[in-house]
Amino acid sequence: AAPAPSGGESIESTEIFMPALSSTMSEGKVVEWLKNVGDYVEAGEALMVVESDKADMDVEAFEDGYLAAIIKGEGETADVGAPVGILVANE
């Protein structure tokens, strides 16, 4: 096994995926991010607003963490299941 890289801990991260908000939805548009990079979010807290083929809906975080990155910005679309952001356990 290769030695672990020195000078850093592994960062536990979780991808935030574009959810299927309806049975006919194939892609969604990020209308608004309700959190900024660096903000702490709790499971169940609204992270972003997504526009589906039927309505705009709040999308909640599935676990606690810090919003580390936004992959899809406001106004951008993503296929259902595609990553749109990243949560990390520690700031």
Side-chain angles (χ1 to χ4, degrees), residues 8-90:
E9 298 173 31
S10 67
I11 297 170
E12 225 177 285
S13 66
T14 303
E15 288 183 316
I16 303 161
F17 297 102
M18 177 62 71
L21 301 175
S22 73
S23 59
T24 57
M25 181 175 161
S26 61
E27 67 176 17
K29 182 166 107 181
V30 177
V31 176
E32 178 184 8
W33 279 95
L34 303 173
K35 297 290 180 180
N36 296 307
V37 170
D39 287 353
Y40 183 75
V41 289
E42 294 182 0
E45 194 173 358
L47 264 179
M48 62 180 172
V49 179
V50 168
E51 179 184 293
S52 73
D53 53 350
K54 304 222 184 305
D56 292 1
M57 296 183 66
D58 288 354
V59 175
E60 299 174 350
F62 290 112
E63 53 188 79
D64 299 348
Y66 293 91
L67 183 58
I70 291 174
I71 297 169
K72 291 290 183 181
E74 294 178 357
E76 292 188 285
T77 58
D79 291 337
V80 167
V84 294
I86 297 175
L87 279 182
V88 293
N90 301 307

